Amino acid sequence: MNDRQKVIIDCDPGIDDSLALMLALTSPELEVVGITTVSGNVPSDMGAKNALKILNHLDRLDIPVYQGASLPLKRDYVDAMDTHGKDGLGESYLPEVSGVPIHDNAIEFINQTLADNPNLTIIALGPLTNIALAHQAQPDVWNNCTRFVSMGGNFKSFGNCSPVAEYNYWCDPDAANYVYQHLPVKIEMIGLDVTRKIVLTPNILELIHQVNPEQADFIRKITRFYFDFHWKYEKVIGCVINDPLAVAYTIFPELCTGFDSHAEIETKGISIGQSVVDEMNFWHKPVNSHILTEVNNLRFMQIFLQRTCSINSELLEKILPQLISEE
């Protein structure tokens, strides 16, 4: 009996998206049936090529890649290549993958996969444009979506592209709000409140290097730009890796805790993209989301390093508490 979760990963690779793909494809609990890309960190066509580069690194070019929406629903598109580099992978300029097709029908793929699979999980790591378009096209098939995990938004944490907004929802706020108001399943919001606690540090990279130098070289290559960005703008020694937490939480929901709420995403004005979470139920509207607020960052890093870098659990239990604060 196959009890693996069938998942689609909708993403915008992107440095941390790439690390999330690495975690997903080294996790036996997940069966990744396809990767769809959306314009966010990078344009969707570049994201699709980057997804192939990561699949090639993992020797998993059997996973199909589908290019999706190139523009947000209404607002002008603003990429995040200042954060992820001109190639989206930290200006590592990994070689292009040839001989493997990139399909151009992400919306159709999402809906057909939902129609064919009554227990499908979707992990959305970028703006929610593809998801909104897919639901608008065939809302009925979305009853087969049993879990929807979104890396995006923020509750009490400050924004990362405006004082109040997280980038994925800010990039396409109309799509984000549509998804929150229309999906028949609760959105599990992995926002900045929890992802900001997931930091890849130089010491952790050194640990990887000591055990798995080849993987350490690859991760260093794609994250060096990200390290520099975080130091320049946030004075963080290391880099926040948002997206892998969404994958880890999908497999191990106990990693994060939070609460159910109604939430809406602001679509205009100076607070565009803000996640407005009605924790106190002022609006008396139906619950449409599960807002994650706390994370076991030590346990996350154990999972991430054990799976993506083949570091044994005994060593991690001994070394990681020296490198990571659980505060």
Side-chain angles (χ1 to χ4, degrees):
M1 180 179 177
N2 183 5
D3 57 358
R4 299 166 72 200
Q5 293 183 65
K6 288 190 175 184
V7 300
I8 290 174
I9 299 179
D10 187 63
C11 56
D12 55 341
I15 294 166
D16 56 330
D17 300 75
S18 299
L19 298 174
L21 291 175
M22 291 168 63
L23 178 58
L25 292 169
T26 53
S27 292
E29 299 88 349
L30 301 182
E31 179 185 350
V32 180
V33 297
I35 296 166
T36 55
T37 65
V38 63
S39 287
N41 293 327
V42 298
S44 58
D45 57 343
M46 180 183 290
K49 293 176 182 177
N50 287 346
L52 285 183
K53 293 175 183 179
I54 301 305
L55 292 176
N56 188 49
H57 173 69
L58 297 170
D59 195 23
R60 288 302 310 272
L61 288 169
D62 56 298
I63 306 291
V65 175
Y66 296 82
Q67 182 180 328
S70 58
L71 296 172
L73 294 186
K74 295 181 180 179
R75 73 174 308 195
D76 292 339
Y77 170 49
V78 180
D79 64 46
M81 293 167 73
D82 61 330
T83 307
H84 294 264
K86 294 177 182 178
D87 66 344
L89 293 177
E91 299 184 359
S92 58
Y93 298 107
L94 299 176
E96 300 291 336
V97 177
S98 60
V100 180
I102 293 173
H103 308 280
D104 61 1
N105 55 339
I107 309 306
E108 292 85 350
F109 169 74
I110 291 170
N111 283 338
Q112 187 60 54
T113 306
L114 280 165
D116 294 341
N117 295 278
N119 294 292
L120 188 71
T121 295
I122 294 180
I123 305 173
L125 304 178
L128 298 180
T129 319
N130 285 342
I131 307 305
L133 290 171
H135 185 274
Q136 288 172 357
Q138 285 184 268
D140 291 347
V141 300
W142 282 83
N143 291 319
N144 284 348
C145 181
T146 52
R147 288 187 70 191
F148 187 88
V149 178
S150 170
M151 190 280 117
N154 50 314
F155 172 46
K156 291 188 175 179
S157 185
F158 55 91
N160 64 359
C161 60
S162 86
V164 296
E166 179 277 329
Y167 172 77
N168 284 339
Y169 291 1
W170 176 88
C171 182
D172 194 345
D174 300 284
N177 195 51
Y178 177 91
V179 167
Y180 271 77
Q181 305 319 312
H182 290 88
L183 254 59
V185 63
K186 279 189 295 191
I187 287 80
E188 299 174 59
M189 190 184 93
I190 301 288
L192 296 177
D193 300 82
V194 285
T195 65
R196 274 203 164 103
K197 299 172 184 175
I198 306 301
V199 182
L200 181 66
T201 65
N203 282 341
I204 293 173
L205 273 179
E206 180 59 26
L207 169 61
I208 300 171
H209 176 74
Q210 292 299 326
V211 180
N212 189 337
E214 182 179 353
Q215 191 73 309
D217 288 347
F218 182 82
I219 293 174
R220 273 202 179 105
K221 189 178 294 184
I222 67 172
T223 59
R224 180 69 266 173
F225 189 96
Y226 216 24
F227 270 66
D228 292 343
F229 176 89
H230 278 78
W231 173 251
K232 181 177 180 180
Y233 291 102
E234 299 187 25
K235 293 299 179 280
V236 171
I237 299 178
C239 59
V240 175
I241 52 172
N242 303 283
D243 293 337
L245 180 58
V247 172
Y249 165 79
T250 301
I251 305 166
F252 301 104
E254 67 275 11
L255 276 176
C256 299
T257 57
F259 61 93
D260 287 349
S261 181
H262 182 85
E264 300 186 10
I265 312 304
E266 181 56 65
T267 59
K268 57 185 181 298
I270 62 171
S271 58
I272 190 169
Q274 181 178 13
S275 312
V276 184
V277 177
D278 187 14
E279 180 187 19
M280 303 305 295
N281 197 27
F282 289 110
W283 294 335
H284 302 290
K285 291 184 177 182
V287 166
N288 62 359
S289 55
H290 186 64
I291 310 298
L292 285 310
T293 57
E294 300 293 336
V295 60
N296 184 336
N297 57 334
L298 178 60
R299 177 64 180 137
F300 163 81
M301 198 59 73
Q302 289 173 334
I303 293 165
F304 179 77
L305 295 176
Q306 185 175 5
R307 294 178 178 217
T308 64
C309 302
S310 303
I311 304 177
N312 72 67
S313 58
E314 292 81 6
L315 179 61
L316 290 171
E317 288 173 7
K318 179 179 180 180
I319 300 297
L320 273 183
Q322 304 173 38
L323 307 181
I324 295 177
S325 168
E326 295 186 73
E327 295 298 322

